[in-house]
Amino acid sequence: MSKRNGVTLLNDKLKEGKNVCVGVDTDPKEISKEIDEFLRSSYRIPPYASQGVVMRRFNEGIIRATCDSVCAYKFNLKFYLAELHQGLWALQESVRFAKEVAPDVPLIL
């Protein structure tokens, strides 16, 4: 798809009966210790790496698990800005991943 039109994409999804918008409002303070450790271990993220890397991988899991059943993804800028440049990097990578895995799902910021 060369041109993304959010309204058209959303209407197409609603016609398919998909009416759930997933909020990708990742607050690293709310990611449990167990999930943080699982992501760091699974993706070989060193303990000194920033939360931005963990946020990105967490978001990828959400997007991968829901891409066949949603009408849209909504990213809340507040959570990414709170992590400064690493949060904005995580947002950028998450948006790129969503476009790759679910090119026909509209993204809301």
Side-chain angles (χ1 to χ4, degrees):
M1 179 176 285
S2 61
K3 194 169 188 176
R4 293 176 56 93
N5 178 313
V7 173
T8 302
L9 292 173
L10 182 58
N11 284 332
D12 290 346
K13 289 297 174 185
L14 294 173
K15 287 176 189 171
E16 293 174 19
K18 298 175 181 176
N19 57 6
V20 174
C21 175
V22 172
V24 190
D25 306 334
T26 305
D27 183 350
K29 294 174 219 58
E30 297 297 325
I31 297 174
S32 72
K33 180 181 176 186
E34 293 80 15
I35 291 175
D36 184 88
E37 289 173 356
F38 171 78
L39 292 170
R40 288 180 186 276
S41 171
S42 297
Y43 293 101
R44 296 186 177 142
I45 302 168
Y48 55 82
S50 78
Q51 283 300 114
V53 180
V54 173
M55 290 172 74
R56 170 192 173 203
R57 293 302 187 177
F58 186 80
N59 292 348
E60 287 177 1
I62 291 169
I63 294 165
R64 189 176 293 112
T66 60
C67 64
D68 293 331
S69 56
V70 301
C71 69
Y73 289 106
K74 179 195 66 69
F75 295 87
N76 188 331
L77 187 59
K78 167 189 166 185
F79 295 105
Y80 301 96
L81 288 175
E83 296 301 313
L84 305 173
H85 70 281
Q86 284 296 316
L88 292 175
W89 174 84
L91 173 62
Q92 177 183 340
E93 290 300 306
S94 299
V95 166
R96 182 198 55 73
F97 183 77
K99 285 178 163 182
E100 178 183 306
V101 174
D104 57 341
V105 175
L107 307 177
I108 303 164
L109 178 65

